[in-house]
Amino acid sequence: QMGWLGAARIVDGASGGVFTISALGMQDPAHPQVVKIVPPSGRTYWLSYRAPIGYDAQLQDQYFNTLQVHRADQFGGYSYLIAQLADGGTHVDADLNLTVRQVSHTTNSAAVEVRFEERKPAYTLSTSSLAFGKQALNLASSPKTITLRSTGNAALPITSIAMRGVNPAQFTQSNNCGASVA
């Protein structure tokens, strides 16, 4: 963000993928040193790997062999450390459906996975059928409830609710679901 690294040392991670990045402190890296993710909305993500190499050698041990996940301020020039990830560690941004993971590392590089999940609605029902038992003719039974739960990562649209089975016209239904479930 500050222009310390040339364009050849920054890889675009906006489409996702697995990237090998060299340690940030290396002078002549074999790979790019930063993964830059510019989301459609919000602040930019910067991913870098820290190891006791070059100018990073004086850092505290807690920063070594981990992926540093930063968010950048659009106007003030500040970046904020969001997470440090060891091998297998993940950072999830649910609003962007973004998952970042440090897959593995060596003494001077790390394999980093950037993944965007497609937003899809999904649902479960508490039951798929109801049994009313014996019921007197033309007398309403006690109401029964089926709960609709949204389990996807996008709003679940509700376009209709209908009954099926034997003689569905003999039953009535009511719902308070609205037009969608978050």
Side-chain angles (χ1 to χ4, degrees):
Q1 182 177 357
M2 304 281 298
W4 294 345
L5 298 176
R9 294 188 182 188
I10 301 171
V11 64
D12 181 2
S15 295
V18 177
F19 306 93
T20 299
I21 56 174
S22 292
L24 197 56
M26 293 181 72
Q27 293 300 314
D28 295 311
H31 308 283
Q33 291 171 290
V34 172
V35 177
K36 180 181 179 183
I37 304 167
V38 180
S41 62
R43 299 176 296 164
T44 301
Y45 270 99
W46 298 88
L47 312 177
S48 60
Y49 174 70
R50 303 310 274 270
I53 296 173
Y55 57 80
D56 276 355
Q58 82 277 356
L59 292 175
Q60 297 173 8
D61 290 346
Q62 71 191 39
Y63 296 106
F64 295 146
N65 305 316
T66 59
L67 181 69
Q68 311 292 306
V69 180
H70 285 85
R71 291 298 302 264
D73 183 318
Q74 290 177 309
F75 306 107
Y78 297 103
S79 71
Y80 304 92
L81 179 64
I82 301 299
Q84 287 182 251
L85 306 176
D87 289 352
T90 60
H91 169 72
V92 176
D93 183 325
D95 292 333
L96 297 175
N97 294 317
L98 168 69
T99 300
V100 174
R101 179 172 69 103
Q102 179 171 304
V103 177
S104 62
H105 75 279
T106 67
T107 57
N108 60 11
S109 69
V112 177
E113 179 184 29
V114 175
R115 190 175 68 234
F116 290 93
E117 300 292 328
E118 185 179 345
R119 294 186 71 87
K120 292 183 179 180
Y123 71 92
T124 60
L125 294 173
S126 58
T127 185
S128 61
S129 65
L130 298 173
F132 290 90
K134 292 185 180 187
Q135 184 66 37
L137 188 62
N138 296 324
L139 185 62
S141 69
S142 299
K144 303 247 183 204
T145 300
I146 295 178
T147 302
L148 170 69
R149 180 168 281 119
S150 177
T151 59
N153 57 10
L156 175 65
I158 300 173
T159 57
S160 67
I161 296 176
M163 293 175 288
R164 292 186 301 204
V166 178
N167 301 317
Q170 292 182 0
F171 298 89
T172 61
Q173 65 87 21
S174 63
N175 74 75
N176 61 356
C177 294
S180 69
V181 179

